[in-house]
Amino acid sequence: MNLDEWPQHIGEEEFVLPVTETLVGACVATLSQDSSRPLFYDASGSITRKEFLERTSHLAAWLKTLGLCKGDRILISGSTTIDLAVAHMAALRFGLIVVPVNGLYQKNELEHVINDASPKVALIDHGEWGKWINSINPKIFVSDTSAKFSDGLVPELDQVKPEDPALIVYTSGTTGRPKGAVLSQRNLLAGAHSVRLAWKWTEEDRLYLCLPLFHMHGMGVGLHGTLLSGSSAILEEGFRAEEVLNAIESKQVSMFFGVPTMYHRLIEHPQIQKMKKMRLCVSGSAPLPASLHRQFNKDVGIQVLERYGMTETVMLVSNPYEGERRPGTVGFSLPGVRLKLEEGSGEILVNGPNVFEGYWNRPDADSESFSSDSVSRWFRTGDLGELDEGGYLKIVGRKKELIISGGYNVYPREVDDVLITHPDIEEVAVAGVPSKEWGEEVVAWIVPSPNQEAPSLEEIRDFGRQDLAAYKLPKRVVVTDALPRNALGKVLRQELREK
Ligand code: MLC
Ligand code: AMP
C-alpha cells in the first residue's frame, strides 16, 4: 500500500484540541461540572471531582509555601493511588514541571535523574529514597505524597500556556545515561484527547488502572484520559489478575489497560470469562503476541485493542475501536498524528501536537532524534514498521538497542556497564531473548576473568541489584569463551541471541 493512500487516522471527528490547549485547562473545565460525580477510588476510599479539585489547590498552596515557582521541577514517585494523582495534578495546575520516577530505581539511577533535572522538591513514597535524596542533594525538600494542606494563599492555578513544559520523563539510555523527554501541556492534552476520541471514552466509563503512574501508559493515557473525559478509575497499587477480574463486577469496571505480560497472566486465570463484560481492553507498551490476541478472541470472545505509544510522543497508532482489531498489528494513526515510514530503513517517523519538544539539556540528542523536511519536523521513533495489505501498521523491529521486558524498558548498555565491574567477569553483554511471560527477558552472556569460576546467576543478580532496578537484572546467564564483535569491536547482540 502506498503511504499517501494510508488512512491517516481513525475516528470520524476532526481533530480539534479543547480550546484551552492545555491539559490542566481542559481537565479542570471537565471536572468543574457535575462536581459530586466520583472520580477515583483506591484502597483508602474515593474522591469526587470537587474534592479532587479542592485537594489539588490545597496541595498547590502548600507547594507555594515551600518557595516553588512556575517552571521549577518537582520529582514525584509513588504507587498508583489517589494521593499520587492529586500530587501530580496539583503540580501541573501550579505550573511546575513534574519529573515522574520509577519507584524501583536504585540510588545510582535516581542520582542521574536528580542531577540532570535538579528538582527542588521530591514527593516520594519509598522508604530508603529520603536518605538517598538527602545524600545526593541535601537542598531538595523531601516529603511523602499524602494529603497536604496549607492555610496560605492558593497560588494562581491553571495559568499555564500550551507550550509550557509539564513533564520531564527519563528514557532511552542507548548512548550514555537516560535523557529527559520534555512534554508540554499541549503534548499531554493531544495525547489524551486522541485516545479519548478514538476509543469513544466517555464519562460513563470506569477504568481499572493498576499500571504505574510514572510512565506514559499509566499516566499519559490512564490518568490523563480519565481526568479529561471526566470518567472514573479504580486505582490499584500493582497488578493481580484475581483482583482485576473480581473488580469487573463488584466495581463496575468497563475498561482495562495493560501490558502484554498482564494479558498473559489474565488468560491463565480460571475466572477469565469475567472479562467478557468489559467494554474495552487495551494492550500496549510492548508487542502483544498475535497468538495471545487470538486466544482472547476465541476463549473469551473479546478482541483486545492493541495500540502503540512512546514516552516522547504519548500515543501514536491504534487498532480501530470499530472494525477489525488485527492481531500482530498496531493499527492506524490516531487523530491528530501524522506518520511516515522512512524510505529504505522503514523507520517510523512521527509528527503532530503529541510529539515532545526535545530532550532536557540535550541539544545534541535533539538533532539526532528529529529529521526535518521542507514543511515539518519528524521524530524518529527508532521502531521499524511495515503496512500490511489492509493498511494496518506492523512493528517489525527496532533500530534502537532496547529490551522491553513486561512493558519496562531495559537498555543493554546500562546493564553491561554495571556487570562488567564484577571482579570475576572479563567481558559481558546482555540482550533480550523471547519469553512467553515477559515478551523479552534479559539474558547476560559472560566471559569469566582468566582463571576464575564464572559467577552464578544468583551472584550476578545480587551484585547488580545495588545499582539496577530489579526488572533490569538478568533472568539467565550464559557462559561463553568470547563475545561476537564486529571489526570495530562492537558486540553483535543479534548474534548473541542466535548463539
Ligand atoms: C517485575 N519484575 C520484572 C518485571 N516486573 N522483571 C522483568 N520485567 C518486568 N517488567 C521482577 C520483580 O522485580 C521480581 O524480581 C520478579 O520479576 C517477579 O515479580 P512479579 O511480582 O511477578 O512482578 P509484578 O510485580 O507482578 O510486575 C509485573 C508487571 C510489571 C507486568 C505487573 O512489570 C508492570 O507493571 N509492568 C508495566 C510497566 C509499564 O507500565 N510500562 C509502560 C511504559 S510506557 P525479584 O528479583 O524482585 O524477585 C510505554 C509507552 C507505551 O512503554 O506505549 O505505553
Ligand atoms: P517507552 O520509551 O518506555 O515509552 O517505550 C516505547 C517503546 O515501546 C516504543 O518505541 C516501542 O518500541 C514499544 N512499544 C510500545 N507499544 C508497542 C506495541 N504495541 N507493540 C510493539 N512495541 C511497542
Side-chain angles (χ1 to χ4, degrees), residues 7 41 71 114 128 151 170 189 195 198 202 214 223 233 277 284 292 309 316 320 334 375 396 420 451 465 474 477:
Y41 300 81
I114 289 179
E128 267 193 305
D151 295 335
Y170 280 79
L189 175 62
V195 295
T202 74
F214 36 72
L223 178 63
K277 294 220 162 128
L292 186 53
L316 303 177
L334 279 159
V375 194
V396 293
I420 193 63
N451 308 320
R465 205 176 281 281
V477 166

Side-chain angles (χ1 to χ4, degrees), residues 289-410:
S291 54
L292 186 53
H293 189 292
R294 292 198 182 95
Q295 198 180 351
F296 264 94
N297 201 359
K298 182 165 156 284
D299 297 355
V300 195
I302 56 175
Q303 278 197 57
V304 177
L305 185 151
E306 184 171 6
R307 59 50 173 188
Y308 158 52
M310 257 186 108
T311 301
E312 289 92 336
T313 65
V314 200
M315 294 298 110
L316 303 177
V317 175
S318 168
N319 266 278
Y321 180 71
E322 275 151 7
E324 183 192 353
R325 301 175 191 166
R326 194 168 283 187
T329 77
V330 287
F332 306 102
S333 71
L334 279 159
V337 178
R338 289 170 63 218
L339 291 183
K340 62 180 184 181
L341 300 179
E342 189 177 58
E343 219 166 293
S345 72
E347 183 172 1
I348 301 166
L349 307 188
V350 53
N351 165 276
N354 57 313
V355 176
F356 78 133
E357 306 296 308
Y359 294 105
W360 185 252
N361 290 334
R362 291 290 305 273
D364 56 321
D366 288 349
S367 53
E368 280 166 23
S369 309
F370 287 93
S371 119
S372 294
D373 57 26
S374 53
V375 194
S376 318
R377 199 168 81 127
W378 297 86
F379 174 64
R380 304 182 155 280
T381 61
D383 294 309
L384 305 176
E386 251 173 41
L387 298 185
D388 75 4
E389 67 294 346
Y392 286 74
L393 180 71
K394 285 171 86 161
I395 297 176
V396 293
R398 285 182 213 129
K399 239 175 93 180
K400 51 196 176 192
E401 273 193 350
L402 166 67
I403 303 168
I404 305 184
S405 169
Y408 280 135
N409 289 3
V410 182

Side-chain angles (χ1 to χ4, degrees), residues 15-218:
F15 186 76
V16 180
L17 287 179
V19 285
T20 62
E21 289 195 49
T22 62
L23 179 79
V24 290
C27 293
V28 170
T30 304
L31 301 178
S32 304
Q33 298 160 21
D34 237 343
S35 57
S36 57
R37 256 183 116 95
L39 179 60
F40 293 122
Y41 300 81
D42 74 1
S44 72
S46 65
I47 189 166
T48 63
R49 293 176 176 189
K50 179 163 183 264
E51 288 161 346
F52 184 78
L53 289 180
E54 280 169 5
R55 271 189 58 188
T56 52
S57 54
H58 286 306
L59 180 53
W62 179 78
L63 291 170
K64 188 172 160 64
T65 63
L66 302 179
L68 288 176
C69 301
K70 191 177 161 195
D72 282 339
R73 271 79 62 207
I74 178 167
L75 187 152
I76 302 184
S77 181
S79 312
T80 301
T81 59
I82 293 176
D83 282 343
L84 194 74
V86 168
H88 178 74
M89 212 41 195
L92 291 183
R93 293 188 69 193
F94 187 5
L96 304 176
I97 307 176
V98 174
V99 184
V101 181
N102 189 325
L104 297 170
Y105 274 12
Q106 295 296 328
K107 184 178 173 194
N108 152 63
E109 295 161 310
L110 182 62
E111 185 164 11
H112 168 67
V113 172
I114 289 179
N115 288 340
D116 196 58
S118 48
K120 288 194 174 157
V121 169
L123 300 183
I124 48 145
D125 288 335
H126 319 295
E128 267 193 305
W129 279 32
K131 214 171 56 201
W132 291 350
I133 294 174
N134 211 269
S135 73
I136 297 166
N137 181 350
K139 289 195 185 138
I140 298 175
F141 181 91
V142 180
S143 181
D144 59 29
T145 61
S146 63
K148 306 263 181 313
F149 294 95
S150 162
D151 295 335
L153 276 184
V154 175
E156 266 199 328
L157 296 177
D158 315 322
Q159 297 301 310
V160 284
K161 294 199 226 31
E163 60 280 12
D164 283 344
L167 283 186
I168 303 179
V169 192
Y170 280 79
T171 180
S172 315
T174 39
T175 48
R177 309 301 299 272
K179 311 183 277 275
V182 182
L183 289 122
S184 68
Q185 286 280 342
R186 187 194 279 116
N187 297 150
L188 298 181
L189 175 62
H193 185 56
S194 70
V195 295
R196 178 166 75 96
L197 293 176
W199 301 342
K200 305 210 179 299
W201 194 340
T202 74
E203 59 179 19
E204 301 310 320
D205 277 307
R206 183 165 296 159
L207 172 69
Y208 189 93
L209 182 53
C210 60
L211 286 157
L213 299 184
F214 36 72
H215 286 306
M216 249 340 135
H217 198 163

